[in-house]
Amino acid sequence: GALVPPMLRLADALRGVGEPDTLDEDVLLVTSVLSDRVDRREFGGDDRPLLRQVRDLLHSEFARPISVREVGRTVGVHPVYLARAFRRRFGLSVTEYVRRLRVQRASCALASSDVPLAQVAADAGFYDQAHLCRVFKSIMGLSPGRFRRSTRAK
């Protein structure tokens, strides 16, 4: 059940057709589901302060490349535990959460300025304009250009 989507993404990545930025997250998710040996007592029973710290870190660092492994090292927990606890608390993987933060930043820039899309993409932490367009459309349901035009028409 829960393993099917990440396993399909991993298979796509191995064939060279998947998004490489989700590879670490998918490997961690599959590993955590398969092992299921995380001892909650090791990290304390209440993970809310830890997850607030992670959320704050992601909000301040989302525009640069950041991995679950790096975040886990920064807050002092195993990345598999972090990935599972974060998904349980926020309903999104760390990678998806960061993508949404980037899209939020990009949508604010698109609505309030005439900065070229390539610059908006770079400022929001996307690899390039094409990456921005692909992710933006998958989350918002319309292209960045169309979004910009629709916010200007009001």
Side-chain angles (χ1 to χ4, degrees):
L3 285 177
V4 173
M7 290 296 282
L8 290 173
R9 287 191 300 267
L10 287 172
D12 285 345
L14 291 172
R15 287 195 312 268
V17 296
E19 288 190 44
D21 57 327
T22 65
L23 190 59
D24 286 345
E25 183 73 20
D26 289 335
V27 168
L28 290 173
L29 178 63
V30 169
T31 303
S32 71
V33 170
L34 290 176
S35 68
D36 200 24
R37 294 182 182 195
V38 175
D39 184 1
R40 284 171 107 17
R41 289 173 292 168
E42 180 181 348
F43 303 105
D46 186 6
D47 58 12
R48 285 176 294 193
L50 167 76
L51 293 175
R52 275 193 297 272
Q53 182 182 1
V54 170
R55 185 195 60 212
D56 292 345
L57 176 67
L58 294 176
H59 278 260
S60 67
E61 300 289 329
F62 72 89
R64 69 174 186 83
I66 188 165
S67 68
V68 175
R69 184 170 289 122
E70 179 185 348
V71 174
R73 196 173 26 249
T74 301
V75 298
V77 297
H78 195 276
V80 173
Y81 171 78
L82 173 62
R84 293 182 77 199
F86 193 90
R87 183 181 294 273
R88 190 172 43 250
R89 171 83 170 157
F90 295 105
L92 299 167
S93 69
V94 172
T95 302
E96 183 63 24
Y97 192 87
V98 168
R99 272 194 206 110
R100 289 175 185 260
L101 289 173
R102 290 176 178 165
V103 166
Q104 182 181 19
R105 167 67 66 87
S107 64
C108 290
L110 291 167
S112 64
S113 74
D114 289 323
V115 174
L117 285 180
Q119 187 61 47
V120 170
D123 293 346
F126 291 99
Y127 294 115
D128 56 22
Q129 182 177 336
H131 186 219
L132 163 68
C133 292
R134 190 172 54 253
V135 173
F136 194 94
K137 187 167 186 172
S138 73
I139 291 175
M140 301 294 283
L142 66 164
S143 70
R146 180 172 269 171
F147 177 84
R148 177 177 267 171
R149 286 189 298 277
S150 71
T151 58
R152 298 296 169 85
K154 294 179 181 179

